[in-house]
Amino acid sequence: MKELQVILLTPEVKTVLSGVSHLILECPDGKRGILPRHAPAVIELAIGVLEARFQGGEREYYAISGGVAEITPETVTILTETCEKGNEIDEFSTRRILENTRKEIQEKRGDPETIRLEARLLFSLAKLKAKELSQKRS
């Protein structure tokens, strides 16, 4: 069976996943599944959870802060500002950031900065979802 190589690129880290049989990406218009031999494409990614399914049935989850995916028949390259592996996420710290961000949004209603805060809120929620999904698989 064919497989994908997935390259996750952030400004600090390059992570390569080999042996991926199926990739699920969150896009602004919903989730998209990517299989080996996919037609070439460039797609926008939403803040959310990326799911990588491997040949042996294992799964890994990553919280990503949006970005762009370049797809070729054998490779998916994901460019994102932030990417965190689900089983490496500090749940306590993420929940604290989530609560603090919610408070800031309430205090700054109508302020243009709320857009940045809402993105932080969405990423914190994605991190918690990736952590939860990773724990279900352990």
Side-chain angles (χ1 to χ4, degrees), residues 4-16:
L4 288 169
Q5 180 179 51
V6 179
I7 303 167
L8 301 168
L9 289 174
T10 70
E12 297 86 27
V13 179
K14 175 182 178 181
T15 303
V16 178

Side-chain angles (χ1 to χ4, degrees), residues 47 65 101 104-106 108-123:
I47 297 171
S65 60
T101 303
E104 279 187 74
I105 288 172
Q106 289 297 323
K108 297 184 180 203
R109 284 268 180 231
D111 186 323
E113 187 182 343
T114 57
I115 293 171
R116 183 186 61 78
L117 293 171
E118 288 169 354
R120 185 189 320 158
L121 181 83
L122 290 173
F123 185 61

Side-chain angles (χ1 to χ4, degrees), residues 32-69:
R32 292 199 185 176
I34 308 297
L35 296 169
R37 300 185 182 137
H38 192 286
V42 175
I43 59 173
E44 179 183 2
L45 301 175
I47 297 171
V49 178
L50 173 150
E51 178 182 341
R53 297 179 185 178
F54 295 88
Q55 296 288 355
E58 306 87 25
R59 294 180 187 191
E60 289 182 1
Y61 300 90
Y62 295 82
I64 64 167
S65 60
V68 174

